[in-house]
Amino acid sequence: MDPLFETKKESAKAKFFHRVYAATVFVGICLILNYRLVNFPAGGGGGRRRAWIGIFMAEFFLSLFWIISQSVRWNVKHNLPFKDRLSLRYEEKLPGVDILVCTADPTLEPPAMVISTVLSVMSYNYPPEKLSVYLSDDAGSEFTFYALLEASHFSKYWIPFCKKYNVQTRSPEAYFAQKFDVKDTTHTQELLAIKKQYEDMKNQIESATEKGSISEEIRSQRKGFLEWDHKVSKQNHQPIVQIIIDGRDTNAVDNEGCQLPTLVYMAREKRPECPHNFKAGAMNALIRVSSEISNGPIILNLDCDMYANDADAIREALCFFMDEKRGHEIAFVQHPQCFDIISENDLYGHYNLVENQVELAGLGGYDAAMYCGTACFHRRDSLSGAKYSYDCRNINEARNKDKRSVDELEKASKVLASCSYEKDTQWGREMGLVYGYAVEDVVTGLTIQCRGWKSMHYNPERPAFLGLAPVTLDNSLVQIKRWSEGLFQIFFSKYCPFIYGYGKIKLGARMGYCNYLLWAPLSLPTLFYVIVPPVCLLHGISLFPKVTSLWFIPFAYVFTTKTVYSIYESMSCGYTLKSWWNFQRMQIIRRATAFFFGFADVIIEQLGLSQTAFAITAKVVTEDVLKRYEQEIMEFGSSSVMFTIIATLAMLNLLSLIGGLINTIFLEFGALQNLISQIILCGLMILVSVPIYEALFLRRDKGCLPFSVMLKSVVFASLACLMPL
């Protein structure tokens, strides 16, 4: 019998080039480290010796991280499903699928945006009687509930429209933002009509949210609003479960008479005295509530801003779970995080094609895809704590329909969503998502794999899901800081892959995990490289070999080869040259700011001086901010400490280069050939900092850097230049 999916290895040619690259660069790195040891300065002052020791440590750690990252590239594999074969064999035996969507704040995550995601997954090309959609509203907002009610009415028209015209982008917000070239008159009329219907619904939701109240006429139409007759706040409310559409009801049909999928609203109980464990707690409550109502053997979990972009995504994912030979081994199928609103050259480096197509695919090559917390299909059993066994084969077994009424199901589900339910249970430890980590999803994926399950990374040609990327630098860095902090937190915990995964997952998989867990400490060697060599240049202290020395060759070779290979790899994955350059800039900015603060927070937490916090990234932007983003103009606009660091580093390198060149040329502090490497480093740092200089001195829009940041950066950079070595 033909398999439902196949795994393709990287081509022999690509593998050969990578091995030659990795081997020669490794030799170059060894020569560089040897140079540092052999040529340790015996004289020249304590400043040079301290700088030499620091740069040796920085280069050693950067080399170690590079070796770890190359181990992931050693086993790149790509998975290809055959959904047509699935339909031919199992169309009548397709399993139930429960889709879990999480939202936490109606201000940062507007209800109109949330329901667009919900509508996109309600309209999948999948039997509606086997599809259930759950929305977790951690704020317990009646406006989100109202928006979901409105979405349930609109779905009666949207779902038939999508299926009639084979719409692939099934988020109405994203679909109507496209430009259309429709020649069929009937299609045009229906398109305009449903677009107006959607905009009217959206305006009603936004109007109610702005007013801060919902009319009594609307409230009286649905008993669920009685839940908000009690005192309900974001951090203090009773469990709320409302089955808005009962998929078992023969009267729950769209305007074409076709069955609608089940739709459920849930706000788990939250009390100030009870830990709620952020998104992990919400997901675990959703897993339990969905098991009570529909109990689909497959779960898809999504963030509220990540909509369905491929109508057949469920069928493609099922090819992995239902494959006769290997399907029973697979716990989850992770899609890459792709984004919708991306500037032409990816200004903030969000859409990392190399990571999606090479690094994560390489980790998946060791049967250990990284669970990213969204855009992931799960086998319910594995997510609920089951260990792998051969008996976990059948996910397409028929399940008896629950005969209980809607009221009975809601009542039973509220118990599962209460604060007290998890007490003295394994939830948050051996069952569901693991608690206590800023990126609990990564820990959860690791524990599932260590229970014997395998996982798949699937990167389809058409992204199955698209999310909203931050369009300001501040939001981008806040998000990256949370990720780097959470990942490094795992490295210090009992779940460190080298310890927890020993004997359970492959060495390549453990190194692949550490490729991400060690983001935060990368800040230290990066900061050293962008601070100390420039200051030494200003003082005429050479940290690199002369251009005429043979020792210069390994430095030049490693730098040039890594740069050329990085460009080749990026462009072969679909990047433009400017996109690659933007990504290099963002790597330096992230390491110097977000990674550094993530590192510092973990160290402070390890000392018992603070606790983990969870920051939600705002999904709302103004028109002028969006316009600047589309023009690829960096958005600053605040006096953030991170911006002060960025500006200070930019000014330090500029002052050091100017001062170093003056000293070298006119005062002869040292021959130019002794300092050429540091001059190149400063020059490159200045080039990547061009948008920062523009924001400091040339721009006058609201997205520029404030005068206070400019003043502080000049003062701090000047003090650094004046400090004696």
Side-chain angles (χ1 to χ4, degrees):
M1 188 177 287
D2 292 331
L4 294 180
F5 75 94
E6 67 176 2
T7 300
K8 290 185 176 181
K9 295 183 179 181
E10 196 176 25
S11 69
K13 183 179 177 182
K15 194 173 287 188
F16 171 76
F17 279 121
H18 175 259
R19 277 156 174 66
V20 171
Y21 156 75
T24 55
V25 170
F26 178 74
V27 172
I29 287 172
C30 292
L31 290 172
I32 288 171
L33 296 177
N34 185 54
Y35 167 79
R36 293 293 177 201
L37 294 172
V38 171
N39 295 276
F40 184 80
R48 185 166 187 252
R49 286 195 292 273
R50 287 192 295 271
W52 198 274
I53 293 170
I55 205 164
F56 170 77
M57 294 175 66
E59 288 168 348
F60 178 80
F61 185 81
L62 289 171
S63 302
L64 188 62
F65 185 81
W66 178 83
I67 292 170
I68 291 173
S69 70
Q70 295 311 302
S71 70
V72 180
R73 288 165 164 81
W74 209 258
N75 199 33
V76 175
K77 294 179 182 178
H78 300 284
N79 299 301
L80 179 65
F82 303 111
K83 62 183 178 185
D84 293 337
R85 295 178 186 175
L86 176 81
S87 299
L88 285 172
R89 291 183 209 167
Y90 296 111
E91 188 62 37
E92 302 304 318
K93 297 180 180 180
L94 292 174
V97 177
D98 292 346
I99 302 176
L100 315 183
V101 182
C102 294
T103 185
D105 190 314
T107 304
L108 298 176
E109 299 168 338
M113 178 200 73
V114 175
I115 63 162
S116 193
T117 296
V118 171
L119 285 164
S120 74
V121 295
M122 287 181 70
S123 53
Y124 269 127
N125 284 340
Y126 201 73
E129 68 276 9
K130 297 183 178 182
L131 191 63
S132 302
V133 181
Y134 296 78
L135 176 65
S136 166
D137 175 21
D138 241 17
S141 168
E142 64 178 335
F143 301 106
T144 303
F145 176 68
Y146 167 59
L148 199 61
L149 279 176
E150 291 294 326
S152 70
H153 300 315
F154 179 70
S155 68
K156 297 177 182 179
Y157 304 92
W158 176 245
I159 294 175
F161 176 83
C162 289
K163 294 183 178 178
K164 181 177 181 180
Y165 294 107
N166 194 27
V167 173
Q168 285 300 308
T169 304
R170 301 216 163 176
S171 157
E173 185 69 26
Y175 178 71
F176 294 131
Q178 298 174 352
K179 293 181 180 179
F180 298 99
D181 183 20
V182 180
K183 297 178 181 178
D184 180 32
T185 306
T186 305
H187 186 182
T188 303
Q189 291 174 345
E190 290 189 32
L191 173 64
L192 293 174
I194 199 165
K195 182 178 181 182
K196 183 180 183 303
Q197 195 174 354
Y198 172 71
E199 289 176 345
D200 289 344
M201 175 192 68
K202 184 179 173 182
N203 289 335
Q204 289 174 6
I205 294 168
E206 290 176 345
S207 176
T209 305
E210 288 172 7
K211 288 179 182 177
S213 63
I214 297 169
S215 68
E216 287 300 322
E217 181 184 355
I218 294 173
R219 295 175 70 91
S220 63
Q221 295 173 4
R222 184 80 189 190
K223 67 178 179 63
F225 281 109
L226 295 174
E227 297 282 2
W228 283 271
D229 288 346
H230 307 283
K231 185 179 179 181
V232 172
S233 67
K234 184 178 177 181
Q235 300 295 336
N236 191 5
H237 58 259
Q238 76 280 11
I240 303 171
V241 178
Q242 289 289 308
I243 300 176
I244 296 174
I245 299 176
D246 182 4
R248 306 168 303 170
D249 186 356
T250 55
N251 295 318
V253 294
D254 60 30
N255 68 339
E256 298 285 332
C258 298
Q259 192 75 30
L260 286 170
T262 297
L263 181 63
V264 180
Y265 171 91
M266 184 203 80
R268 62 184 171 128
E269 183 180 17
K270 291 175 81 173
R271 301 299 180 191
E273 65 274 12
C274 297
H276 56 82
N277 297 301
F278 309 109
K279 180 183 173 182
M283 270 293 295
N284 286 346
L286 273 177
I287 292 168
R288 295 193 298 270
V289 168
S290 63
S291 70
E292 186 73 19
I293 296 173
S294 53
N295 200 28
I298 298 297
I299 290 174
L300 164 63
N301 85 281
L302 290 173
D303 287 343
C304 64
D305 66 327
M306 186 154 280
Y307 63 83
N309 190 53
D310 185 342
D312 291 319
I314 294 179
R315 293 175 181 271
E316 290 186 349
L318 288 178
C319 290
F320 298 103
F321 292 108
M322 300 181 73
D323 181 73
E324 290 81 0
K325 185 178 180 181
R326 299 163 60 191
H328 63 283
E329 303 174 332
I330 298 172
F332 62 86
V333 177
Q334 177 67 60
H335 287 256
Q337 285 187 277
C338 302
F339 300 100
D340 186 6
I341 305 176
I342 294 290
S343 63
E344 184 179 356
N345 294 295
D346 197 5
L347 181 62
Y348 298 125
H350 293 306
Y351 199 2
N352 190 343
L353 293 169
V354 174
E355 180 180 81
N356 291 341
Q357 296 182 31
V358 180
E359 293 181 355
L360 291 174
L363 185 56
Y366 293 106
D367 301 320
M370 182 178 285
Y371 173 35
C372 299
T374 185
C376 189
F377 288 89
H378 300 265
R379 185 186 296 267
R380 180 183 288 275
D381 292 341
S382 67
L383 197 57
S384 299
K387 293 182 179 180
Y388 168 72
S389 72
Y390 190 78
D391 297 331
C392 300
R393 291 183 63 85
N394 295 324
I395 60 170
N396 56 341
E397 293 176 344
R399 304 213 174 193
N400 295 326
K401 287 189 176 182
D402 201 311
K403 299 293 194 298
R404 287 177 292 177
S405 68
V406 167
D407 288 340
E408 289 173 324
L409 285 173
E410 288 177 350
K411 185 177 180 181
S413 298
K414 287 179 181 179
V415 175
L416 303 177
S418 65
C419 287
S420 59
Y421 183 82
E422 293 184 353
K423 187 178 180 182
D424 299 326
T425 71
Q426 291 299 312
W427 283 97
R429 292 187 290 275
E430 297 297 324
M431 299 177 68
L433 272 68
V434 178
Y435 293 156
Y437 299 87
V439 284
E440 61 282 318
D441 32 49
V442 176
V443 179
T444 302
L446 177 63
T447 59
I448 288 172
Q449 289 154 11
C450 288
R451 290 199 294 266
W453 294 96
K454 294 180 180 179
S455 53
M456 289 285 176
H457 173 77
Y458 175 45
N459 184 24
E461 186 174 343
R462 177 186 176 88
F465 307 97
L466 289 175
L468 295 179
V471 297
T472 68
L473 184 59
D474 190 33
N475 281 343
S476 178
L477 293 178
V478 167
Q479 186 181 69
I480 295 295
K481 185 256 181 187
R482 174 164 58 86
W483 291 347
S484 63
E485 177 185 348
L487 291 166
F488 192 43
Q489 186 185 32
I490 297 169
F491 188 79
F492 267 118
S493 74
K494 71 175 184 178
Y495 294 108
C496 176
F498 284 119
I499 301 170
Y500 186 76
Y502 181 76
K504 301 173 184 175
I505 58 175
K506 298 174 183 176
L507 176 61
R510 284 179 276 153
M511 294 184 72
Y513 267 102
C514 289
N515 185 44
Y516 295 91
L517 302 191
L518 294 176
W519 274 2
L522 267 177
S523 59
L524 301 183
T526 302
L527 281 168
F528 189 93
Y529 244 91
V530 296
I531 293 174
V532 175
V535 174
C536 288
L537 170 64
L538 186 63
H539 290 272
I541 299 174
S542 174
L543 296 177
F544 297 90
K546 296 179 181 180
V547 178
T548 55
S549 169
L550 288 176
W551 284 114
F552 182 77
I553 295 174
F555 283 91
Y557 178 80
V558 168
F559 174 78
T560 305
T561 306
K562 287 179 70 176
T563 301
V564 170
Y565 189 83
S566 175
I567 294 172
Y568 157 75
E569 192 175 54
S570 297
M571 296 189 75
S572 64
C573 289
Y575 261 164
T576 63
L577 190 60
K578 190 171 182 181
S579 299
W580 173 83
W581 181 252
N582 286 340
F583 186 72
Q584 305 312 305
R585 177 190 299 115
M586 283 306 302
Q587 282 291 76
I588 293 172
I589 290 175
R590 288 171 179 173
R591 291 181 180 187
T593 55
F595 287 9
F596 176 71
F597 283 103
F599 176 83
D601 281 357
V602 171
I603 297 302
I604 291 171
E605 183 186 328
Q606 292 296 314
L607 295 174
L609 302 177
S610 73
Q611 291 184 334
T612 301
F614 188 86
I616 302 171
T617 308
K619 309 297 189 302
V620 184
V621 293
T622 59
E623 287 295 328
D624 59 327
V625 170
L626 189 57
K627 184 178 179 181
R628 284 192 290 272
Y629 178 68
E630 290 171 348
Q631 294 172 345
E632 300 202 324
I633 299 172
M634 273 195 158
E635 188 72 24
F636 297 94
S638 72
S639 301
S640 165
V641 177
M642 292 192 188
F643 294 164
T644 302
I645 292 173
I646 295 168
T648 301
L649 294 175
M651 291 305 303
L652 174 63
N653 278 266
L654 181 62
L655 295 175
S656 295
L657 182 63
I658 294 171
L661 287 174
I662 291 172
N663 290 338
T664 301
I665 296 170
F666 297 105
L667 301 180
E668 297 184 356
F669 271 12
L672 185 63
Q673 64 172 346
N674 291 344
L675 299 169
I676 191 67
S677 297
Q678 283 151 265
I679 290 172
I680 292 172
L681 283 175
C682 277
L684 289 173
M685 186 64 186
I686 289 168
L687 284 176
V688 300
S689 301
V690 167
I692 300 167
Y693 299 129
E694 291 175 346
L696 282 170
F697 303 115
L698 301 179
R699 289 169 52 186
R700 291 295 178 267
D701 54 61
K702 292 182 179 179
C704 71
L705 283 165
F707 177 77
S708 60
V709 173
M710 182 188 72
L711 184 63
K712 284 185 282 189
S713 66
V714 171
V715 171
F716 293 153
S718 300
L719 289 173
C721 291
L722 293 173
M723 287 180 63
L725 290 179

